[in-house]
Amino acid sequence: EHSTGVNGLEKVILREVRGFSAEVYLYGGQVTSWKNELGEELLFVSSKATFRPPKAIRGGIPITFPQFSNHGPLEQHGFARNRFWIIDPNPPPFPTTSTYKAYIDLLLKHTEEDAKIWPHRYEFRLRITLGPGGDLMLTSRIRNTNTDGKSFTFTFAYHTYFAVTDISEVRVEGLETLDYLDNLKNRERFTEQGDAITFESEVDKLYLSTPTKIAIIDHERKRTFVMRKDGLPDAVVWNPWDKKAKALPDFGDDEYKHMLCVEPACVEKPITLKPGEEWKGRQEISAVPSSYFSGQ
Ligand code: BG6
């Protein structure tokens, strides 16, 4: 279902039989909404998000490619999040055994303009699927289409903003005891201590060699987000807290209380593709009542 979003930007709405829905902007190839059967929003989008190119939309699931954060010479988080994607005219076939019905295939290709800052040809195919149980799946396929024989290297993340009731009542499971690079301490390496991750100040960590399943537990709402990932060994956890929130022009001063970014990523060991090679990275998220969740 096609429609027009904020500021005339094109968007696509996916609906699932039980009443879940998702909204995808072609600008950024970005999921900006994921709602359950009660119409409750499960992703955070700032009330100050501008929806105005060339600025990236603050919230939902921005795609960071070909560079995560400032790990390289490109603009922060690369350019994919502020480009206009198109609906893929030639999408990869959908597996016939699958029961997934609501999906959209997007495509981002190199342009001469971008070649000035990142001199490579590529095809980035993004499939966004809303499953029959309401789970949201994003699959990225990135192919090197260089004709000059050159490899390219990139880092990547699904910059997923979860909506939470109260950050001080949130717990993340699956990252305890892991090593991480602390972006607030010059990317120094530490080992996580304690049982589960909780939040009482700014956090900006890159967890390394993470498991394929991570849980984000919103105690107050009795909701657990279960994240599954494939091809993405790292996981970034980010909350700007009060001071950084105030410094962000497109983020409300108190909104840090109601969001948490958990971002499946491939950063520590960047991906290199030879011409003709393809990389695949997947994120699947579901939202379940906490009582249904049986732990790790
Ligand atoms: C996170 C980074 O992924 O994104 C943080 O780890 C960064 O360092 C945050 O501040 C937000 O980035 P931006 O460019 O969307 O403001």
Side-chain angles (χ1 to χ4, degrees):
E1 181 186 325
H2 236 103
S3 65
T4 306
V6 184
N7 294 330
L9 295 176
E10 243 185 293
K11 69 177 183 184
V12 174
I13 297 168
L14 303 175
R15 293 185 200 284
E16 165 274 350
V17 280
R18 274 175 48 210
F20 274 72
S21 64
E23 186 182 86
V24 182
Y25 273 69
L26 297 194
Y27 178 61
Q30 188 161 334
V31 177
T32 53
S33 169
W34 175 41
K35 286 185 180 156
N36 66 13
E37 70 273 39
L38 303 172
E40 294 167 337
E41 183 55 67
L42 304 170
L43 296 177
F44 167 85
V45 176
S46 173
S47 62
K48 298 224 173 134
T50 57
F51 289 86
R52 207 176 298 273
K55 189 149 183 52
I57 301 167
R58 173 72 65 195
I61 312 180
I63 302 289
T64 77
F65 169 83
Q67 174 189 297
F68 175 75
S69 191
N70 54 359
H71 291 243
L74 301 180
E75 64 192 280
Q76 161 97 347
H77 286 323
F79 49 73
R81 65 174 178 165
N82 51 26
R83 292 295 179 270
F84 284 92
W85 295 56
I86 60 167
I87 293 175
D88 193 345
N90 187 20
F94 206 77
T96 46
T97 50
S98 173
T99 48
Y100 288 117
K101 287 289 187 310
Y103 67 97
I104 177 88
D105 283 289
L106 300 183
L107 175 67
L108 182 69
K109 278 173 101 165
H110 61 90
T111 62
E112 292 310 314
E113 197 54 34
D114 287 343
K116 290 177 193 157
I117 48 171
W118 202 62
H120 299 294
R121 289 170 178 265
Y122 65 91
E123 282 173 357
F124 185 153
R125 297 197 137 79
L126 172 63
R127 173 168 291 171
I128 301 165
T129 305
L130 193 59
D135 47 328
L136 183 66
M137 191 156 106
L138 283 77
T139 306
S140 291
R141 294 178 175 85
I142 297 169
R143 178 179 290 278
N144 180 337
T145 55
N146 271 336
T147 50
D148 59 4
K150 288 204 176 109
S151 298
F152 63 62
T153 297
F154 63 93
T155 49
F156 179 93
Y158 291 111
H159 200 304
T160 311
Y161 287 79
F162 289 100
V164 298
T165 320
D166 175 0
I167 186 67
S168 57
E169 300 287 325
V170 169
R171 205 173 80 221
V172 174
E173 286 182 1
L175 303 176
E176 51 280 8
T177 73
L178 297 184
D179 280 7
Y180 63 89
L181 307 183
D182 194 338
N183 203 36
L184 302 176
K185 292 181 182 147
N186 295 318
R187 295 196 195 134
E188 215 184 306
R189 194 176 179 122
F190 296 91
T191 302
E192 196 64 68
Q193 314 285 344
D195 288 344
I197 319 293
T198 53
F199 302 91
E200 49 194 24
S201 59
E202 183 182 0
V203 43
D204 190 354
K205 296 176 177 176
L206 176 73
Y207 289 89
L208 307 172
S209 306
T210 59
T212 54
K213 181 173 157 190
I214 297 171
I216 298 112
I217 300 150
D218 180 340
H219 279 292
E220 201 153 310
R221 183 136 309 170
K222 299 188 171 52
R223 173 186 291 147
T224 297
F225 295 106
V226 181
M227 168 180 276
R228 291 188 172 81
K229 61 193 181 55
D230 199 25
L232 299 160
D234 308 324
V236 178
V237 176
W238 181 63
N239 183 297
W241 221 253
D242 54 349
K243 257 192 14 233
K244 184 72 69 62
K246 284 205 177 75
L248 293 169
D250 59 346
F251 193 97
D253 289 357
D254 286 329
E255 286 181 335
Y256 73 93
K257 293 174 184 163
H258 308 300
M259 56 73 71
L260 179 67
C261 285
V262 179
E263 314 166 29
C266 196
V267 177
E268 191 203 19
K269 298 189 182 99
I271 295 133
T272 297
L273 293 179
K274 292 189 191 121
E277 281 184 342
E278 187 178 81
W279 169 85
K280 197 164 139 184
R282 205 172 63 90
Q283 157 180 299
E284 188 177 341
I285 51 180
S286 56
V288 296
S290 290
S291 52
Y292 290 8
F293 182 62
S294 54
Q296 286 293 304

Coordinates of all heavy atoms in Angstrom, one line a residue, residues 95-167:
P95 N 11.1 -17.0 -1.3 CA 11.1 -18.5 -1.1 C 9.6 -18.9 -1.0 O 8.8 -18.4 -0.3 CB 11.7 -18.7 0.3 CG 12.3 -17.4 0.7 CD 11.8 -16.3 -0.2
T96 N 9.3 -19.9 -1.9 CA 7.9 -20.3 -2.0 C 7.4 -21.1 -0.8 O 6.2 -21.1 -0.5 CB 7.7 -21.3 -3.2 OG1 8.8 -22.3 -3.1 CG2 7.8 -20.6 -4.5
T97 N 8.3 -21.6 0.0 CA 7.8 -22.3 1.2 C 7.4 -21.4 2.3 O 6.8 -21.8 3.3 CB 8.9 -23.2 1.8 OG1 10.1 -22.4 1.9 CG2 9.2 -24.4 0.9
S98 N 7.8 -20.1 2.2 CA 7.6 -19.2 3.3 C 6.1 -18.7 3.4 O 5.4 -18.7 2.4 CB 8.5 -17.9 3.0 OG 8.1 -17.0 3.9
T99 N 5.7 -18.5 4.6 CA 4.4 -18.0 4.8 C 4.3 -16.5 4.9 O 3.3 -15.9 5.1 CB 3.8 -18.6 6.2 OG1 4.8 -18.3 7.2 CG2 3.5 -20.0 6.1
Y100 N 5.5 -15.8 4.9 CA 5.5 -14.4 4.9 C 4.9 -13.8 3.7 O 5.2 -14.2 2.6 CB 7.0 -13.9 5.0 CG 7.6 -14.2 6.3 CD1 8.7 -15.0 6.4 CD2 7.2 -13.5 7.5 CE1 9.3 -15.2 7.6 CE2 7.7 -13.8 8.7 CZ 8.8 -14.6 8.8 OH 9.4 -14.9 10.0
K101 N 4.0 -12.8 3.9 CA 3.2 -12.3 2.8 C 3.5 -10.8 2.6 O 3.7 -10.3 1.5 CB 1.7 -12.5 3.0 CG 1.3 -14.0 2.8 CD 1.4 -14.3 1.3 CE 0.8 -15.7 1.0 NZ 1.3 -16.8 1.8
A102 N 3.5 -10.0 3.7 CA 3.6 -8.6 3.5 C 5.0 -8.2 3.5 O 5.7 -8.3 4.5 CB 2.9 -7.9 4.7
Y103 N 5.5 -7.8 2.3 CA 6.9 -7.4 2.2 C 7.1 -6.4 1.1 O 6.3 -6.2 0.2 CB 7.8 -8.6 2.0 CG 7.7 -9.3 0.7 CD1 8.5 -9.1 -0.4 CD2 6.7 -10.3 0.5 CE1 8.4 -9.7 -1.6 CE2 6.5 -11.0 -0.7 CZ 7.4 -10.7 -1.7 OH 7.2 -11.3 -2.9
I104 N 8.2 -5.7 1.2 CA 8.6 -4.7 0.1 C 10.1 -4.9 -0.1 O 10.9 -5.1 0.8 CB 8.2 -3.3 0.6 CG1 8.7 -2.2 -0.5 CG2 8.8 -2.9 1.9 CD1 7.7 -2.0 -1.5
D105 N 10.5 -4.8 -1.4 CA 11.9 -4.9 -1.8 C 12.4 -3.5 -2.3 O 11.8 -2.9 -3.2 CB 12.0 -5.9 -2.9 CG 12.0 -7.3 -2.5 OD1 12.9 -7.7 -1.8 OD2 11.0 -8.0 -2.7
L106 N 13.4 -3.0 -1.6 CA 13.9 -1.7 -2.0 C 15.3 -1.9 -2.5 O 16.0 -2.9 -2.3 CB 14.0 -0.8 -0.7 CG 12.7 -0.5 0.0 CD1 12.9 0.5 1.1 CD2 11.7 0.1 -1.0
L107 N 15.8 -0.9 -3.3 CA 17.1 -0.9 -3.9 C 17.8 0.4 -3.8 O 17.1 1.5 -4.0 CB 16.9 -1.3 -5.4 CG 18.1 -1.3 -6.3 CD1 19.1 -2.4 -5.9 CD2 17.7 -1.5 -7.8
L108 N 19.0 0.4 -3.5 CA 19.9 1.6 -3.6 C 21.1 1.2 -4.4 O 21.7 0.2 -4.3 CB 20.4 1.9 -2.1 CG 21.2 3.2 -2.0 CD1 20.4 4.4 -2.3 CD2 21.8 3.3 -0.6
K109 N 21.3 2.1 -5.4 CA 22.5 1.9 -6.3 C 23.4 3.1 -6.3 O 23.0 4.2 -5.9 CB 22.0 1.7 -7.7 CG 21.4 0.3 -8.1 CD 20.8 0.3 -9.4 CE 21.7 -0.4 -10.4 NZ 21.0 -0.7 -11.7
H110 N 24.6 2.8 -6.7 CA 25.6 3.9 -6.7 C 25.2 5.0 -7.7 O 24.5 4.7 -8.7 CB 27.0 3.3 -7.2 CG 26.9 2.7 -8.6 ND1 27.1 3.5 -9.7 CD2 26.5 1.5 -9.0 CE1 26.9 2.7 -10.8 NE2 26.5 1.5 -10.4
T111 N 25.6 6.2 -7.4 CA 25.3 7.3 -8.4 C 26.7 7.9 -8.6 O 27.6 7.8 -7.9 CB 24.4 8.4 -7.7 OG1 25.1 8.9 -6.6 CG2 23.1 7.8 -7.3
E112 N 26.7 8.7 -9.7 CA 28.0 9.4 -10.0 C 28.4 10.4 -8.9 O 29.6 10.5 -8.6 CB 27.9 10.1 -11.4 CG 27.7 9.2 -12.6 CD 28.8 8.1 -12.6 OE1 30.0 8.5 -12.4 OE2 28.4 7.0 -12.9
E113 N 27.4 11.0 -8.3 CA 27.6 11.9 -7.2 C 28.3 11.2 -6.0 O 29.3 11.7 -5.5 CB 26.2 12.5 -6.8 CG 26.3 13.8 -6.0 CD 27.1 14.9 -6.7 OE1 27.1 15.0 -8.0 OE2 27.8 15.6 -6.0
D114 N 27.7 10.1 -5.6 CA 28.2 9.3 -4.5 C 29.6 8.8 -4.8 O 30.4 8.6 -3.9 CB 27.3 8.2 -4.1 CG 26.1 8.7 -3.4 OD1 26.1 9.9 -2.9 OD2 25.1 8.0 -3.3
A115 N 29.9 8.5 -6.1 CA 31.2 7.9 -6.5 C 32.3 8.8 -6.2 O 33.4 8.4 -6.0 CB 31.2 7.5 -8.0
K116 N 32.0 10.1 -6.0 CA 33.0 11.1 -5.7 C 33.5 10.9 -4.2 O 34.6 11.2 -3.9 CB 32.5 12.5 -5.8 CG 32.3 12.9 -7.3 CD 31.7 14.3 -7.4 CE 31.3 14.6 -8.8 NZ 30.2 15.6 -8.9
I117 N 32.6 10.5 -3.4 CA 33.0 10.3 -2.0 C 33.3 8.8 -1.6 O 34.0 8.5 -0.7 CB 31.9 10.8 -1.0 CG1 30.5 10.3 -1.3 CG2 31.9 12.3 -0.9 CD1 29.5 10.6 -0.3
W118 N 32.7 7.9 -2.4 CA 32.9 6.4 -2.2 C 33.0 5.8 -3.6 O 31.9 5.5 -4.2 CB 31.8 5.8 -1.3 CG 32.2 4.6 -0.7 CD1 33.1 4.4 0.3 CD2 31.6 3.3 -0.9 NE1 33.2 3.1 0.7 CE2 32.3 2.4 0.0 CE3 30.5 2.8 -1.7 CZ2 31.9 1.0 0.1 CZ3 30.2 1.4 -1.6 CH2 30.9 0.6 -0.7
P119 N 34.2 5.7 -4.2 CA 34.3 5.4 -5.6 C 34.0 3.9 -6.0 O 34.9 3.2 -6.4 CB 35.8 5.7 -5.9 CG 36.5 5.5 -4.6 CD 35.5 5.8 -3.5
H120 N 32.8 3.5 -5.7 CA 32.5 2.1 -6.0 C 31.1 1.9 -6.6 O 30.2 2.7 -6.3 CB 32.6 1.2 -4.7 CG 33.9 1.3 -4.1 ND1 35.0 0.7 -4.7 CD2 34.4 1.9 -3.0 CE1 36.1 0.9 -4.0 NE2 35.8 1.6 -2.9
R121 N 30.9 0.8 -7.3 CA 29.6 0.5 -7.8 C 29.0 -0.7 -7.0 O 29.8 -1.6 -6.7 CB 29.7 0.0 -9.3 CG 30.0 1.1 -10.2 CD 30.3 0.5 -11.6 NE 30.6 1.6 -12.5 CZ 29.6 2.1 -13.3 NH1 28.4 1.6 -13.4 NH2 29.9 3.1 -14.1
Y122 N 27.8 -0.5 -6.6 CA 27.2 -1.5 -5.7 C 25.7 -1.6 -6.0 O 25.1 -0.7 -6.5 CB 27.5 -1.2 -4.2 CG 26.8 0.1 -3.8 CD1 25.5 0.0 -3.3 CD2 27.4 1.3 -4.0 CE1 24.9 1.2 -2.9 CE2 26.8 2.5 -3.6 CZ 25.5 2.4 -3.1 OH 24.8 3.6 -2.8
E123 N 25.1 -2.7 -5.5 CA 23.7 -2.8 -5.5 C 23.3 -3.2 -4.0 O 23.9 -4.2 -3.6 CB 23.1 -3.9 -6.4 CG 23.1 -3.3 -7.9 CD 22.8 -4.4 -8.9 OE1 22.6 -5.6 -8.5 OE2 22.7 -4.1 -10.1
F124 N 22.5 -2.5 -3.4 CA 22.1 -2.8 -2.0 C 20.6 -3.1 -2.1 O 19.7 -2.2 -2.4 CB 22.3 -1.5 -1.2 CG 22.1 -1.8 0.3 CD1 22.8 -1.0 1.3 CD2 21.1 -2.7 0.8 CE1 22.5 -1.2 2.6 CE2 20.9 -2.9 2.1 CZ 21.6 -2.1 3.1
R125 N 20.2 -4.4 -1.9 CA 18.8 -4.8 -1.9 C 18.4 -5.0 -0.4 O 19.0 -5.7 0.3 CB 18.7 -6.1 -2.6 CG 19.1 -6.0 -4.1 CD 18.5 -7.2 -4.9 NE 18.0 -6.7 -6.2 CZ 18.8 -6.3 -7.2 NH1 20.1 -6.5 -7.1 NH2 18.3 -5.8 -8.3
L126 N 17.3 -4.3 -0.1 CA 16.7 -4.4 1.2 C 15.3 -5.0 1.2 O 14.5 -4.3 0.5 CB 16.7 -3.0 1.9 CG 16.1 -2.9 3.2 CD1 16.7 -3.7 4.3 CD2 16.0 -1.4 3.7
R127 N 15.1 -6.1 1.8 CA 13.7 -6.7 1.9 C 13.2 -6.5 3.3 O 13.9 -6.9 4.2 CB 13.7 -8.1 1.5 CG 12.3 -8.7 1.7 CD 12.2 -10.1 1.1 NE 12.2 -10.0 -0.3 CZ 12.2 -11.1 -1.1 NH1 12.3 -12.3 -0.6 NH2 12.2 -10.9 -2.4
I128 N 12.0 -5.8 3.4 CA 11.4 -5.6 4.7 C 10.1 -6.4 4.7 O 9.3 -6.3 3.8 CB 11.1 -4.1 4.9 CG1 12.4 -3.3 4.8 CG2 10.4 -3.9 6.2 CD1 12.3 -1.8 4.6
T129 N 10.0 -7.3 5.7 CA 8.9 -8.3 5.7 C 8.2 -8.2 7.0 O 8.8 -8.2 8.1 CB 9.4 -9.7 5.5 OG1 10.2 -9.8 4.3 CG2 8.3 -10.7 5.5
L130 N 6.9 -8.2 7.0 CA 6.1 -8.2 8.2 C 5.5 -9.6 8.3 O 4.7 -10.0 7.4 CB 5.0 -7.2 8.2 CG 4.2 -6.9 9.4 CD1 5.2 -6.4 10.6 CD2 3.2 -5.8 9.2
G131 N 6.0 -10.4 9.2 CA 5.6 -11.8 9.3 C 4.2 -12.0 9.8 O 3.6 -11.1 10.4
P132 N 3.6 -13.2 9.7 CA 2.2 -13.5 10.1 C 2.0 -13.3 11.6 O 0.9 -13.0 12.1 CB 2.0 -14.9 9.7 CG 3.3 -15.5 9.3 CD 4.3 -14.4 9.1
G133 N 3.1 -13.4 12.4 CA 2.9 -13.1 13.9 C 3.2 -11.7 14.2 O 3.3 -11.3 15.4
G134 N 3.5 -10.9 13.2 CA 3.8 -9.5 13.5 C 5.3 -9.2 13.6 O 5.7 -8.0 13.8
D135 N 6.1 -10.2 13.5 CA 7.6 -9.9 13.6 C 8.0 -9.2 12.3 O 7.5 -9.4 11.2 CB 8.4 -11.2 13.8 CG 7.9 -12.3 12.9 OD1 6.8 -12.4 12.6 OD2 8.8 -13.1 12.6
L136 N 9.0 -8.4 12.5 CA 9.5 -7.5 11.4 C 10.9 -8.0 11.1 O 11.8 -8.1 11.9 CB 9.6 -6.1 11.9 CG 10.0 -5.0 10.9 CD1 8.9 -4.9 9.8 CD2 10.1 -3.6 11.6
M137 N 11.1 -8.3 9.8 CA 12.4 -8.8 9.3 C 13.0 -7.9 8.3 O 12.3 -7.6 7.3 CB 12.1 -10.2 8.8 CG 13.3 -11.0 8.5 SD 12.9 -12.7 8.6 CE 12.9 -13.1 6.9
L138 N 14.3 -7.6 8.4 CA 15.0 -6.8 7.4 C 16.1 -7.7 6.9 O 17.0 -8.1 7.7 CB 15.5 -5.5 8.0 CG 14.5 -4.4 8.2 CD1 13.6 -4.6 9.4 CD2 15.1 -3.0 8.3
T139 N 16.2 -7.8 5.6 CA 17.3 -8.6 5.0 C 18.0 -7.7 4.0 O 17.4 -7.1 3.1 CB 16.8 -9.8 4.3 OG1 16.1 -10.6 5.2 CG2 18.0 -10.7 3.8
S140 N 19.3 -7.5 4.2 CA 20.1 -6.7 3.3 C 21.0 -7.6 2.5 O 21.7 -8.4 3.1 CB 21.0 -5.7 4.1 OG 20.2 -4.7 4.7
R141 N 21.1 -7.3 1.2 CA 22.0 -8.0 0.4 C 22.8 -6.9 -0.4 O 22.2 -6.1 -1.1 CB 21.3 -8.8 -0.7 CG 20.5 -10.0 -0.1 CD 19.8 -10.7 -1.3 NE 19.1 -11.9 -0.9 CZ 17.9 -11.9 -0.4 NH1 17.2 -10.8 -0.2 NH2 17.4 -13.1 0.0
I142 N 24.1 -6.9 -0.1 CA 25.0 -5.9 -0.7 C 25.9 -6.6 -1.7 O 26.6 -7.5 -1.3 CB 25.7 -5.1 0.4 CG1 24.7 -4.3 1.2 CG2 26.7 -4.1 -0.3 CD1 25.2 -3.7 2.5
R143 N 25.9 -6.1 -2.9 CA 26.8 -6.7 -4.0 C 27.8 -5.7 -4.5 O 27.4 -4.6 -4.8 CB 25.9 -7.3 -5.1 CG 26.6 -7.9 -6.3 CD 25.7 -8.4 -7.3 NE 24.9 -9.6 -6.8 CZ 25.4 -10.8 -6.8 NH1 26.6 -11.1 -7.3 NH2 24.7 -11.8 -6.4
N144 N 29.0 -6.2 -4.7 CA 30.0 -5.4 -5.4 C 29.8 -5.5 -6.9 O 29.9 -6.6 -7.5 CB 31.4 -5.8 -5.0 CG 32.5 -5.1 -5.6 OD1 32.3 -4.4 -6.7 ND2 33.7 -5.1 -5.0
T145 N 29.4 -4.4 -7.6 CA 29.3 -4.4 -9.0 C 30.3 -3.6 -9.8 O 30.1 -3.1 -10.9 CB 27.8 -4.0 -9.5 OG1 27.6 -2.6 -8.9 CG2 26.8 -4.9 -9.0
N146 N 31.5 -3.4 -9.0 CA 32.6 -2.7 -9.7 C 33.0 -3.4 -11.0 O 33.1 -4.6 -11.1 CB 33.8 -2.7 -8.7 CG 33.8 -1.5 -7.8 OD1 33.2 -0.5 -8.1 ND2 34.5 -1.6 -6.6
T147 N 33.3 -2.6 -12.0 CA 33.8 -3.1 -13.2 C 35.3 -2.9 -13.4 O 35.9 -3.3 -14.4 CB 33.1 -2.5 -14.4 OG1 33.1 -1.0 -14.2 CG2 31.6 -2.9 -14.5
D148 N 35.9 -2.3 -12.4 CA 37.4 -2.0 -12.5 C 38.2 -3.1 -11.7 O 39.4 -2.9 -11.5 CB 37.7 -0.6 -11.9 CG 37.2 -0.4 -10.5 OD1 36.7 -1.4 -9.9 OD2 37.3 0.7 -10.0
G149 N 37.5 -4.1 -11.3 CA 38.2 -5.2 -10.6 C 38.5 -5.0 -9.1 O 39.1 -5.8 -8.4
K150 N 38.0 -3.8 -8.6 CA 38.4 -3.5 -7.2 C 37.4 -4.0 -6.2 O 36.2 -4.0 -6.4 CB 38.4 -1.9 -7.1 CG 39.6 -1.3 -7.8 CD 39.9 0.0 -7.2 CE 41.2 0.6 -7.8 NZ 40.9 1.8 -8.7
S151 N 38.0 -4.4 -5.1 CA 37.2 -4.8 -3.9 C 36.7 -3.6 -3.2 O 37.3 -2.5 -3.4 CB 38.0 -5.6 -2.9 OG 38.5 -6.8 -3.5
F152 N 35.7 -3.7 -2.4 CA 35.4 -2.6 -1.4 C 35.1 -3.1 0.0 O 34.8 -4.3 0.1 CB 34.3 -1.6 -2.0 CG 32.9 -2.2 -2.2 CD1 32.2 -2.7 -1.1 CD2 32.4 -2.1 -3.4 CE1 30.9 -3.2 -1.3 CE2 31.0 -2.6 -3.6 CZ 30.3 -3.1 -2.6
T153 N 35.2 -2.2 0.9 CA 35.1 -2.6 2.3 C 34.1 -1.7 3.0 O 34.1 -0.5 2.7 CB 36.5 -2.4 3.0 OG1 37.4 -3.4 2.4 CG2 36.5 -2.7 4.5
F154 N 33.3 -2.2 3.8 CA 32.3 -1.4 4.5 C 32.0 -1.9 5.9 O 32.3 -3.0 6.2 CB 31.0 -1.3 3.7 CG 30.3 -2.6 3.5 CD1 29.3 -3.0 4.4 CD2 30.6 -3.5 2.5 CE1 28.6 -4.2 4.3 CE2 29.9 -4.7 2.3 CZ 28.9 -5.1 3.2
T155 N 31.4 -1.0 6.7 CA 30.8 -1.4 8.0 C 29.3 -1.1 7.9 O 28.9 -0.3 7.0 CB 31.5 -0.6 9.1 OG1 31.5 0.8 8.9 CG2 32.9 -1.1 9.4
F156 N 28.5 -1.7 8.8 CA 27.1 -1.7 8.6 C 26.4 -1.8 9.9 O 26.9 -2.4 10.9 CB 26.7 -2.9 7.7 CG 25.3 -3.1 7.5 CD1 24.7 -2.5 6.4 CD2 24.5 -3.8 8.4 CE1 23.3 -2.7 6.1 CE2 23.1 -3.9 8.2 CZ 22.5 -3.4 7.1
A157 N 25.2 -1.2 10.0 CA 24.3 -1.5 11.2 C 22.9 -1.2 10.9 O 22.6 -0.3 10.1 CB 24.7 -0.6 12.4
Y158 N 22.0 -1.9 11.5 CA 20.6 -1.6 11.6 C 20.4 -0.8 12.8 O 20.5 -1.3 13.9 CB 19.7 -2.8 11.6 CG 19.7 -3.7 10.4 CD1 20.2 -4.9 10.4 CD2 19.0 -3.2 9.3 CE1 20.2 -5.8 9.3 CE2 19.0 -4.0 8.1 CZ 19.5 -5.3 8.1 OH 19.5 -6.1 7.0
H159 N 20.2 0.5 12.7 CA 20.2 1.5 13.8 C 18.9 1.5 14.5 O 18.2 2.5 14.5 CB 20.6 2.8 13.3 CG 21.1 3.8 14.4 ND1 20.4 4.1 15.5 CD2 22.3 4.5 14.4 CE1 21.1 4.9 16.2 NE2 22.3 5.2 15.6
T160 N 18.4 0.3 15.1 CA 17.1 0.2 15.5 C 16.7 0.9 16.8 O 17.4 0.7 17.9 CB 16.8 -1.3 15.7 OG1 17.3 -2.0 14.5 CG2 15.3 -1.6 15.9
Y161 N 15.7 1.8 16.7 CA 15.3 2.6 17.9 C 14.0 1.9 18.5 O 13.0 2.0 17.9 CB 14.9 4.0 17.5 CG 16.0 5.0 17.2 CD1 16.6 5.0 15.9 CD2 16.3 6.0 18.1 CE1 17.6 5.9 15.6 CE2 17.3 6.9 17.7 CZ 17.9 6.9 16.5 OH 18.9 7.8 16.2
F162 N 14.1 1.2 19.6 CA 13.0 0.6 20.3 C 12.3 1.7 21.1 O 12.9 2.5 21.8 CB 13.4 -0.5 21.2 CG 13.9 -1.7 20.4 CD1 15.2 -2.0 20.2 CD2 12.9 -2.6 19.8 CE1 15.6 -3.1 19.4 CE2 13.4 -3.7 19.0 CZ 14.7 -3.9 18.9
A163 N 10.9 1.6 21.2 CA 10.2 2.5 22.1 C 10.0 1.7 23.4 O 9.6 0.6 23.4 CB 8.8 2.7 21.5
V164 N 10.4 2.4 24.5 CA 10.3 1.8 25.8 C 9.5 2.8 26.7 O 9.5 4.0 26.5 CB 11.6 1.4 26.4 CG1 12.3 0.3 25.6 CG2 12.5 2.6 26.7
T165 N 8.9 2.2 27.8 CA 8.1 3.1 28.6 C 9.0 4.0 29.5 O 8.7 5.2 29.6 CB 7.2 2.2 29.5 OG1 6.7 1.1 28.8 CG2 6.0 2.9 30.1
D166 N 10.0 3.3 30.1 CA 10.8 4.1 31.1 C 12.2 3.4 31.0 O 12.3 2.3 31.5 CB 10.2 4.1 32.5 CG 11.1 4.7 33.5 OD1 12.2 5.2 33.2 OD2 10.7 4.7 34.7
I167 N 13.2 4.1 30.5 CA 14.5 3.5 30.3 C 15.1 3.0 31.6 O 15.8 2.0 31.6 CB 15.5 4.5 29.6 CG1 16.8 3.9 29.3 CG2 15.7 5.8 30.5 CD1 16.8 2.9 28.2

